[in-house]
Amino acid sequence: MTTPIVNVEREELLKIAEEYRNQGYEVLMYPSAENLPDFLKNYCPDLVVRRGNEGVVIEVKSRSSLDSSSMQYLHNLAQTVEKNPGWRFKLVMRNSEEFTYSSQAESSLQVPEIKSQIEVVKKLATDHPASALLYGWSLVEATLRLVAEHEGLTLARVDPPYLMKHLATEGVISRSEYQLLMNVFSLRNAIAHGFKTTQVKQESVYDLIKITEELLVSLNSSHEYHSHEN
């Protein structure tokens, strides 16, 4: 009998596979050993996608499905992948508890608070890019919620993958912005769940800051436009 956790992971995997397929990648779900490059022969990845010289190894997991053994497996897999030029590892976490907010949480950050905290992220980026990326992600996520609210979008959920997909579908953010945000979100997940990654560079943080600032500018411009109309 298939457990609910496995169903959730598989559904997410199918969505990710379709997204990469639409971008022109060759997609292999649960590939057999003979279809894997030599450095992956000892592993059983959920998804491997390739396009030209670029390859991505993707694992979809729910927090409740992780134990010490699977955590070690993912850690070893990530290290193996990152040793090979052109390849990167992507961990996607799915969990119904992942985006259940504490009753202690107050209202979402607003524009002035986001702007002031961006400066903190910029200072962190030089010496602590991983910390800066986590901090920066919280700001872009708050900004995306503000944008969705401003656009009058009805959100069935507020988890980041759904929010970003919805904004991209509605044309509020571009396809390239969506892909960049998804890549950063993958890094954010890896860091937040205790995985080492060599992919956190200052550039990733600055890209995140740039998108956040551009979204804030669009919010401000739209607000000023409507103020003049009134």
Side-chain angles (χ1 to χ4, degrees):
M1 180 178 178
T2 305
T3 66
I5 289 174
V6 172
N7 279 332
V8 167
E9 292 176 357
R10 181 173 175 78
E11 287 174 8
E12 183 66 22
L13 198 62
L14 288 169
K15 291 178 185 177
I16 295 170
E18 185 62 23
E19 288 177 6
Y20 275 99
R21 192 175 288 112
N22 290 338
Q23 295 175 53
Y25 285 82
E26 176 191 1
V27 175
L28 296 173
M29 282 186 62
Y30 307 118
S32 57
E34 57 265 25
N35 291 324
L36 291 172
D38 289 340
F39 68 89
L40 288 175
K41 295 294 186 183
N42 294 326
Y43 296 95
C44 300
D46 291 338
L47 184 66
V48 174
V49 301
R50 302 187 71 169
R51 185 177 64 184
N53 295 323
E54 179 189 3
V56 188
V57 177
I58 301 164
E59 289 283 332
V60 177
K61 294 289 178 273
S62 296
R63 182 181 297 176
S64 54
S65 72
L66 292 177
D67 54 25
S68 58
S69 176
S70 58
M71 291 283 281
Q72 186 61 52
Y73 169 84
L74 291 171
H75 174 71
N76 293 341
L77 175 57
Q79 285 192 322
T80 299
V81 172
E82 290 176 3
K83 290 177 182 176
N84 291 269
W87 285 83
R88 58 190 174 89
F89 175 72
K90 182 173 183 177
L91 173 64
V92 179
M93 297 296 297
R94 273 305 307 267
N95 195 308
S96 58
E97 298 175 357
E98 181 78 13
F99 303 105
T100 301
Y101 297 99
S102 167
S103 59
Q104 296 177 344
E106 299 178 8
S107 59
S108 183
L109 294 173
Q110 298 300 304
V111 173
E113 297 165 309
I114 295 170
K115 286 182 176 179
S116 66
Q117 292 182 37
I118 282 176
E119 298 307 312
V120 179
V121 175
K122 289 178 179 178
K123 292 177 182 178
L124 276 174
T126 303
D127 297 320
H128 306 284
S131 298
L133 189 137
L134 284 175
Y135 199 167
W137 181 262
S138 71
L139 302 184
V140 78
E141 192 175 328
T143 303
L144 291 171
R145 288 196 297 271
L146 290 176
V147 170
E149 180 183 354
H150 176 76
E151 295 292 330
L153 301 181
T154 301
L155 300 175
R157 308 195 308 271
V158 292
D159 55 281
Y162 172 83
L163 179 58
M164 291 184 286
K165 182 72 173 178
H166 200 45
L167 289 171
T169 301
E170 295 294 329
V172 179
I173 60 175
S174 68
R175 188 72 190 178
S176 60
E177 288 173 330
Y178 169 75
Q179 192 57 58
L180 188 150
L181 286 170
M182 286 299 294
N183 289 339
V184 175
F185 183 59
S186 176
L187 284 176
R188 173 263 175 203
N189 281 348
I191 298 166
H193 295 288
F195 290 96
K196 294 180 181 179
T197 175
T198 59
Q199 298 178 37
V200 182
K201 310 293 184 186
Q202 288 183 30
E203 289 74 16
S204 297
V205 180
Y206 294 144
D207 286 341
L208 195 60
I209 291 172
K210 181 181 178 183
I211 288 181
T212 306
E213 290 180 329
E214 288 175 349
L215 289 171
L216 290 174
V217 168
S218 68
L219 275 174
N220 188 56
S221 299
S222 179
H223 176 73
E224 289 179 352
Y225 173 77
H226 289 298
S227 295
H228 287 311
E229 273 194 333
N230 296 330

